[in-house]
């Protein structure tokens, strides 16, 4: 790009690339968070967002002119003056680097963004039992709610913050006509100052960072068997764990995983086995499907209670226990408040549709649930 009069080169290509990557990964991860089955994509772009912030923080110390933190204008008096001058003098001269407002803006984005990225990674491990931090789930599962709240509320705060920033830039662009928007595209600002001339090794640092990010992104969107997204839970082999459960309880419906309900619920189901949701189950029923011996019932329910929600740190178990708050479990999870809340956004007619038929037919909407897996990426959203 040719340099015109009254222009300073302030943002080298990689400062601009990083700026737009931070902006776009934040926006995309926000959009992907709206559908739970896009969790892999949410995490993949979230990781890039986090890496770009790390890079931007390093850049704040070793970056080129105008990018380093020591050029930031953080005096509150100057911030106040910046706004007063903005109102009083439409044609005021702007600084080549960060003005007081954009200095504060950048620092706050970096702080909020870092907390959002860190809580996101922790949440992925602690709540979902996935990724490199999945091992934290069994120790710190009790913090999943607080982490979720911090992650979500700070993301909304950052979104509001970004909207304020965009409005500010548009005012600069179209009212003050300082061309601030174009500066982040072309690198040139309409003002006076010394051009930024970043050296070769700084450029290489950027390319290494971008390369690592691209690799991380590629790995994390793909499947479920790489260390970035792998689950700490394996599929359950009921045949191996409890053959009686696999053979006898899987005839009328697919097998519900034991961690879905608390021991008190399994106890209720056991007590009411002769009236099992309208079906009579007994040792000498004339229909094969309904015939389960007392001995088999005992081993089945011992197995279910031993592996019930009370003994699990999976998200669904922790949330079900919390929702019961010491009360005795219901026979159906669909009567437990947590389940109702989790499905509040599912239109009621979907449960009656021909693909689903009943609320308790979890298997129609949660792929691999019959194998004991309950992952967000497996949720099917019917129209
Ligand atoms: C003869 C058929 C039949 C057999 C055998 C059977 N069930 Fe069921 N089960 C049902 C029906 C019908 C429902 C109700 C489904 C509904 O609400 O849509 C049900 C529902 C359930 C639910 C409730 C899921 C929920 O939270 O809403 C659980 C748990 C369950 N069965 C466990 C078992 C266990 C354990 C066994 C083996 C001891 C078993 N079932 C064997 C017919 C059967
Ligand atoms: C009609 C399809 C459907 C059925 C049937 C269904 N679910 Fe869901 N479930 C969903 C959808 C869709 C979501 C995500 C809702 C959202 O995005 O707000 C969800 C969310 C959940 C969540 C919360 C996941 C999270 O990350 O917060 C749990 C737990 C869950 N379902 C368990 C079950 C269980 C157990 C059953 C069976 C008793 C069941 N679901 C039956 C569609 C269904």
């Amino acid at each position: 790009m040719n340099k015109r009069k009254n222009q300073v080169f302030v943002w080298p290509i990689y400062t601009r690339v990083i700026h737009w990557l931070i902006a776009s990964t934040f926006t995309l991860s926000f959009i992907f968070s709206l559908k739970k089955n896009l969790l892999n994509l949410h995490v993949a772009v979230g990781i890039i967002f986090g890496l770009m912030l790390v890079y931007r923080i390093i850049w704040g110390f070793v970056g080129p002119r105008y990018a380093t933190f020591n050029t930031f204008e953080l005096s509150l008096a100057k911030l106040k003056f910046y706004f007063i001058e903005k109102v009083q003098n439409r044609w005021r001269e702007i600084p080549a680097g960060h003005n007081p407002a954009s200095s504060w803006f950048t620092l706050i984005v970096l702080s909020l963004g870092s907390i959002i990225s860190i809580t996101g990674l922790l949440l992925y491990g602690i709540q979902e039992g996935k990724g490199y931090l999945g091992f934290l789930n069994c120790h710190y599962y009790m913090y999943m709610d607080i982490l979720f709240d911090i992650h979500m509320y700070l993301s909304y705060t950052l979104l509001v913050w970004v909207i304020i920033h965009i409005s500010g830039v548009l005012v600069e662009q179209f009212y003050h006509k300082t061309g601030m928007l174009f500066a982040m595209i072309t690198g040139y600002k309409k003002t006076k100052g010394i051009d930024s001339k970043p050296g070769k090794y700084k450029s290489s640092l950027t390319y290494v960072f971008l390369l690592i990010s691209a690799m991380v992104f590629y790995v994390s969107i793909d499947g479920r068997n790489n260390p970035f997204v792998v689950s700490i839970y394996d599929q359950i082999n009921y045949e191996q764990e409890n053959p009686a459960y696999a053979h006898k309880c899987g005839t009328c419906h697919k097998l519900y995983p034991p961690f879905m309900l608390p021991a008190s619920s399994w106890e209720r189901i056991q007590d009411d086995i002769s009236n099992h949701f309208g079906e009579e189950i007994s040792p000498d029923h004339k229909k094969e499907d309904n015939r389960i011996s007392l001995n088999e019932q005992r081993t089945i329910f011992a197995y279910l209670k031993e592996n019930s929600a009370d003994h699990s740190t999976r998200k669904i178990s922790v949330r079900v226990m919390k929702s019961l708050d010491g009360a005795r479990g219901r026979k159906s999870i669909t009567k437990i408040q947590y389940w109702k809340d989790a499905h509040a956004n599912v239109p009621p007619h979907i449960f009656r549709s021909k693909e689903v038929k009943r609320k308790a037919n979890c298997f129609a909407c949660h792929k691999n649930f019959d194998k004991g897996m309950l992952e967000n990426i497996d949720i099917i959203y019917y129209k």
Side-chain angles (χ1 to χ4, degrees):
M1 163 144 274
N2 290 329
K3 187 175 159 72
R4 276 181 265 147
K5 245 175 88 183
N6 294 331
Q7 285 200 332
V8 189
F9 187 58
V10 279
W11 311 128
I13 176 76
Y14 29 89
T15 305
R16 283 173 275 151
V17 168
I18 301 297
H19 170 270
W20 291 114
L21 273 173
I22 291 178
S24 55
T25 50
F26 176 70
T27 313
L28 283 175
S29 67
F30 200 93
I31 293 170
F32 292 147
S33 76
L34 301 176
K35 278 268 180 278
K36 287 182 196 282
N37 57 2
L38 300 181
L39 185 63
N40 266 21
L41 280 173
H42 172 74
V43 170
V45 288
I47 291 176
I48 307 304
F49 174 71
L51 280 172
M52 290 305 132
L53 292 181
V54 170
Y55 173 88
R56 181 62 187 87
I57 290 168
I58 298 175
W59 221 222
F61 294 101
V62 305
R65 188 188 293 267
Y66 306 123
T68 53
F69 296 136
N70 59 14
T71 64
F72 279 28
E73 199 53 82
L74 296 172
S75 125
L76 290 179
K78 286 199 176 147
L79 184 65
K80 194 171 151 197
F81 180 71
Y82 168 83
F83 284 109
I84 293 173
E85 200 192 21
K86 195 176 176 67
V87 177
Q88 291 178 345
N89 181 1
R90 184 173 177 186
W91 309 114
R92 80 232 193 284
E93 195 167 301
I94 55 163
H98 287 272
N99 64 46
S102 71
S103 302
W104 277 104
F105 173 80
T106 308
L107 281 192
I108 291 175
V109 167
L110 292 178
S111 319
L112 282 180
S114 303
I115 307 175
I116 292 170
S117 305
I118 293 168
T119 48
L121 276 182
L122 286 171
L123 204 53
Y124 198 51
I126 290 175
Q127 178 177 277
E128 306 297 322
K130 294 187 74 163
Y132 275 109
L133 301 181
F135 72 95
L136 294 175
N137 163 268
C138 59
H139 306 290
Y140 300 105
Y141 61 90
M142 55 295 227
Y143 299 117
M144 64 174 73
D145 287 338
I146 176 96
L147 277 171
F148 182 82
D149 287 347
I150 298 174
H151 187 68
M152 186 182 68
Y153 287 116
L154 288 189
S155 302
Y156 280 107
T157 312
L158 187 51
L159 183 69
V160 171
W161 196 238
V162 166
I163 293 170
I164 294 173
H165 168 63
I166 295 173
S167 320
V169 170
L170 292 178
V171 168
E172 283 293 335
Q173 177 74 34
F174 295 108
Y175 176 71
H176 297 293
K177 305 216 187 284
T178 51
M180 191 179 264
L181 176 62
F182 295 149
M184 236 342 141
I185 299 169
T186 62
Y188 287 94
K189 241 188 199 183
K190 268 195 234 161
T191 182
K192 296 196 186 77
I194 306 164
D195 284 347
S196 169
K197 282 200 205 73
K200 275 224 170 62
Y201 85 95
K202 286 180 185 169
S203 321
S204 333
L205 178 70
T206 317
Y207 297 129
V208 170
F209 237 87
L210 289 177
L211 192 68
I212 295 176
S213 305
M215 275 159 33
V216 171
F217 180 77
Y218 179 74
V219 174
S220 19
I221 51 166
D222 161 61
R224 47 188 95 216
N225 291 326
N226 69 72
F228 286 100
V229 296
V230 73
S231 171
I232 53 169
Y233 302 111
D234 291 324
Q235 295 192 349
I236 301 180
N237 185 340
Y238 294 109
E239 184 72 43
Q240 221 165 48
E241 293 199 0
N242 192 298
Y245 183 55
H247 294 156
K248 295 295 179 165
C249 299
T251 47
C252 305
H253 46 68
K254 291 182 179 171
L255 294 166
Y256 292 101
F259 60 76
M260 174 179 102
L261 288 168
S264 55
S265 290
W266 292 120
E267 217 164 69
R268 273 197 167 160
I269 293 174
Q270 184 173 19
D271 292 345
D272 282 350
I273 196 79
S274 56
N275 179 8
H276 180 72
F277 302 89
E279 289 284 340
E280 187 192 332
I281 292 177
S282 68
D284 38 32
H285 199 283
K286 59 181 187 309
K287 278 202 335 224
E288 165 98 45
D289 282 358
N290 299 43
R291 220 179 295 142
I292 306 182
S293 77
L294 291 179
N295 217 4
E296 284 166 337
Q297 292 183 22
R298 269 191 293 273
T299 69
I300 290 169
F301 283 99
Y303 163 73
L304 292 171
K305 284 187 247 177
E306 226 166 81
N307 296 287
S308 64
D310 323 46
H311 304 291
S312 168
T313 59
R314 290 177 193 250
K315 174 170 63 175
I316 182 174
S317 311
V318 172
R319 294 254 155 89
V320 161
M321 296 312 293
K322 191 171 170 201
S323 162
L324 286 172
D325 193 22
R328 199 166 173 224
R330 311 292 300 259
K331 279 207 296 186
S332 168
I333 190 174
T334 61
K335 300 274 182 316
I336 293 175
Q337 193 57 43
Y338 166 60
W339 190 93
K340 294 182 187 172
D341 296 343
H343 297 84
N345 295 331
V346 182
H349 74 267
I350 304 259
F351 290 114
R352 297 188 297 268
S353 65
K354 67 175 191 317
E355 295 97 340
V356 181
K357 294 193 185 80
R358 310 179 315 270
K359 283 185 182 169
N361 189 13
C362 326
F363 316 98
C365 311
H366 296 279
K367 269 186 273 168
N368 298 316
F369 194 57
D370 54 332
K371 303 184 190 85
M373 300 301 281
L374 185 57
E375 298 212 16
N376 282 13
I377 50 173
D378 287 335
I379 294 178
I380 302 172
Y381 286 88
Y382 290 99
K383 280 271 172 331

